[in-house]
Amino acid sequence: MLKIGIVLASTRPGRKGDQVARWVRERAASRGDAEFAVIDLRDHPLPHLEEPPGFSGQYQDERTRAFAAVVAACDGFVFVTPEYNHSLPGVLKNAMDHIHVEWNSKAAGFVSYGGVGGARSVEQLRLVCGALQLADVAPQVTLPLATEFENHTVFAPGDHQLAALETLLDHVIAWSTALASLRGGEAEAAIRRRLDEVVEALRAKDLEALRGIYAPDVVSFDVEPPLQHAGVEAKLKNWAKVFTIFEKVDYELRDLTVTVSAGLAVGHGFGRVSGTLPTGEAVTGMWVRATFVFRHRGDGWVIVHDQASVPFDMASGRGVVDLEPGTR
């Protein structure tokens, strides 16, 4: 199911945006075509651009990585924003500038409030969205302080605003759905590049490069005992064992299929470790069934689970290790 982030863009004391965001969330909860979650910028106190631009999706600051992971998990956004001095809040601009690829190819809608309903804030936001490859939808909800807030303080929207909000959500969800296939293609390419990095690191016997590809809490099911390798150190220890066996290591992947959805990806195909022993003898290895599960975090995709398995002969209980991909 699609996930839409409701971005609460004000962090000021006494803000009115929390009332508006709660209204959007409560109304959206009755829909069955997406799930909704509030992204409160108070929960993400980002520094003021203290690292290089994040065009590659690689971030140095842990706060940026945490925020990027939250944004990456969403398929679209509803920005709840006030208007400050004819423009958007600085904290929102800073948050949008901090990351890049996590916004790309997603939909955005706007619920604004202020002296003239926050309309001029949205004018500026649409320009920012264009630069971030966010598809901003035309319908929007504008909430003037004079008519939609009692004493300019307590949010009390008129009934006509409900229809406007439903129209906005309809468009955000429709565009998020349409863009999902494009995002899947981009993510699949990133996953395949990540697996290419695994192959390169294995051939180079580079344990530190492998460390950056696996999640710290990775769980791996291999063809060798024990039943599982829990944690990145156990996974690297297993690869280190392979590196001691082979003077030269090779790794192949065939018939790989990748499926991506909402910050998770699964790849499956056939893998084979081969190489040359210290004696100079070439070992062709065996083909195994290989499965990879990836999770997107702020600095890219990491492997959270992988599994290598072989079929077995039920009569003898022995593994069958001489099969080739494509055989039945």
Side-chain angles (χ1 to χ4, degrees), residues 2 75 105-106 174-187 260:
L2 292 174
D75 300 288
S105 303
K106 298 179 181 179
W175 276 94
S176 297
T177 302
L179 291 167
S181 59
L182 175 60
R183 292 196 307 279
E186 293 173 346
V260 184

Side-chain angles (χ1 to χ4, degrees), residues 269-290:
F270 303 102
R272 179 169 67 175
V273 177
S274 60
T276 305
L277 299 177
T279 61
E281 178 184 356
V283 178
T284 58
M286 62 182 179
W287 287 103
V288 300
R289 298 171 295 196

